[in-house]
Amino acid sequence: MSISLPADPPRARSLTGVVPQMSAALDGTSDWFPPAERAVVFVLDGLGSHNLSARAGHARFLAQAGSKRDVARTVFPSTTASALTSLLTGTLPGEHGIVGYRARVPGTDDVVNQLRGWDTDGLPLEFQRATPLATSLARPFFVVTKSEYRGTGFTAATQAGAEFIGVDDLTERVLTAAQLGAQHPGSLIYLYAPELDGVGHRRGWQSDEWTVMLERVDAAARAFAEALTPGTGAVVTADHGMVDIPRHRQILLRDGDPLLDGVRLIGGEPRMLHLYAEPGHAEDVEHAWRASEEARSWVLSRDELIASGVLGPVSPEVRERLGDVVVAARSGVVYYDDRLADKASQKMIGQHGSFTTEERVVPLLRLGAFA
């Protein structure tokens, strides 16, 4: 059975192209951006184009910085570990191998967190298989982010070759990035703001708390733009969008559930499951999930997912990290393994990870010399 996934529009811009095109702009050869003397990519974690459009009155600067056409498509899965790795290596998950929030280490029963597993579970740095652009591009590369990310495994795996600068206050962080550009002609700067995503997960993007944080982020973006020196090009983008899923839309997988028959391990995240089957049971798991869930989720075999091309070329090493069956929610549901003792994640309201436009379409707003 062939599964039809949502197709990106012709010539849609991918998050993987942002940093390479910005680097090309510094040489005057970009297909996306005009020439610039230095460039900054400002990533607002969790701000999808749909989220920004729906709250445009609370983000007047960002909303007016571009049109509906100023967007890019993030990768699948539409999750931070996969998307930031793609942004910072210029490759799709099938090449770099970070295929979700949690994924199986081939040859083991270990399902490891792809953001924190480097530090908590001994995930080797080479688990991320692509060369970071900070290493491969022959130019100064700076990372300006929260200081807590200094020295983490994910930072080392995706930002090797960059000079790390930790700044905790959001406004001070953006002004630091602008100042760095002024001081270092020819440089590339990665500026990261996770604040909006954190509030969205806890309270939902439709909450008052999220709107207040959006106003803070918008003010910081305005201050950043005003601080850019002539010749500095900047792009504001995101790793994914967000959808709110209320508690009553959670699907809890419990002992005795037929959907767990033949399932050995569960990875991914609530909007995008990797199901690792017991030997010989992959087809049974696929059929059971398709019969039960295809009205509200895309259910694909591993081979179907690879054949779709959404992951890019998939190496044999990466293939085994993918679930035998992948389940990506297309309606407003999430899936939780309720057998786990730690149920803290079930308190999350804001979610992402799947194929929907709300999760995959992100802003690509141009500032400074790129405007």
Side-chain angles (χ1 to χ4, degrees), residues 37-56:
E37 297 174 17
R38 73 280 289 174
V40 185
V41 57
F42 186 5
V43 175
L44 296 173
D45 196 318
L47 183 65
S49 289
H50 171 74
N51 308 123
L52 177 58
S53 176
R55 294 293 182 269

Side-chain angles (χ1 to χ4, degrees), residues 13 18 22 33 40-42 44 47-49 52 59-72 218 221 224 228 233-238 362-368 370-371:
R13 290 179 172 173
V18 172
M22 292 174 71
F33 308 119
V40 185
V41 57
F42 186 5
L44 296 173
L47 183 65
S49 289
L52 177 58
R60 292 174 184 259
F61 175 76
L62 289 171
Q64 293 171 7
S67 70
K68 291 182 178 179
R69 295 188 299 274
D70 294 315
V71 298
D218 190 64
F224 168 69
L228 293 176
V235 170
V236 180
T237 189
V362 297
L364 191 66
L365 309 177
R366 306 171 184 216
L367 304 175
F370 288 164

Side-chain angles (χ1 to χ4, degrees), residues 214-235:
L214 178 63
E215 291 172 348
R216 282 188 56 200
V217 166
D218 190 64
R222 183 188 297 274
F224 168 69
E226 292 172 350
L228 293 176
T229 56
T232 302
V235 170

Side-chain angles (χ1 to χ4, degrees), residues 71-100:
V71 298
R73 261 66 181 177
T74 192
V75 299
F76 177 81
S78 52
T79 193
T80 297
S82 301
L84 291 186
T85 305
S86 287
L87 175 78
L88 293 166
T89 65
T91 64
L92 288 168
E95 183 172 347
H96 61 63
I98 307 304
V99 296

Side-chain angles (χ1 to χ4, degrees), residues 256-278:
D257 192 323
L259 290 176
L260 293 175
D261 290 347
V263 175
R264 185 180 185 91
L265 302 164
I266 299 177
E269 52 218 291
R271 293 274 298 167
M272 200 295 296
L273 300 180
H274 286 296
L275 301 176
Y276 303 96
E278 297 283 2

